[in-house]
Amino acid sequence: MSGAVKAVAVLLADELPGAAGARFIHAARQAIAGNAQIHAVIVGAAAAEQHAHAALQAGAASVVLVSHPLLAQPAQADQLLALLTPVLQPMAADIVLLHADNVGDELAARLAMRIDGTALGRCTALEHKASGWTARKPVYGGRMQAV
């Protein structure tokens, strides 16, 4: 692959107090070693322009707002899957980043099936080389790193 890695960070609007979205985008940039473009997809019952502005200020290359007034609080994987699949498929991202929580883990596995990807949970570092991806994640209660 040539050029920048296209990464999509999925953010939940209702869980973005203050600068949380900016921190997530910054963490995504730090986690992906090398040349990466971070695009933000912000999902919520009322995803708003202020969330988009904060993501752009944090360095997102672009922002897509996805909202549905009936989105439950807290958001459920089934609902997020239905909203995100048609948005993420045409984006053709090299990698999709989700929050490391129970909903994020379930959503990652189900999205991977829908968009022909692989789910890697709770990674702390990602690196893209010509030969493919290398991921690091804590194992044995954080005492070691798996590669």
Side-chain angles (χ1 to χ4, degrees):
M1 180 175 109
S2 63
V5 170
K6 184 175 183 181
V8 175
V10 175
L11 305 161
L12 300 179
D14 301 318
E15 296 177 8
L16 290 177
R23 286 193 304 271
F24 187 72
I25 290 171
H26 178 71
R29 187 173 308 290
Q30 296 299 315
I32 302 173
N35 189 15
Q37 266 191 342
I38 310 292
H39 301 266
V41 174
I42 301 174
V43 183
E49 293 294 322
Q50 78 247 22
H51 297 122
H53 181 69
L56 290 169
Q57 292 287 74
S62 67
V63 177
V64 176
L65 296 176
V66 180
S67 64
H68 193 287
L70 299 178
L71 189 61
Q73 282 306 314
Q76 300 299 309
D78 284 344
Q79 294 174 320
L80 294 172
L81 183 67
L83 289 172
L84 288 171
T85 301
V87 172
L88 293 174
Q89 282 176 329
M91 290 182 83
D94 298 307
I95 189 163
V96 176
L97 304 166
L98 302 162
H99 282 279
D101 60 13
N102 291 337
V103 172
D105 291 345
E106 180 182 347
L107 183 59
R110 295 176 71 186
L111 266 175
M113 283 297 296
R114 301 269 175 106
I115 63 175
D116 196 27
T118 301
L120 299 171
R122 303 181 189 254
C123 295
T124 57
L126 302 163
E127 184 176 4
H128 185 264
K129 297 180 181 175
S131 59
W133 287 91
T134 301
R136 294 185 183 276
K137 66 183 282 178
V139 294
Y140 299 114
R143 292 180 195 73
M144 297 182 76
Q145 290 282 315
V147 179

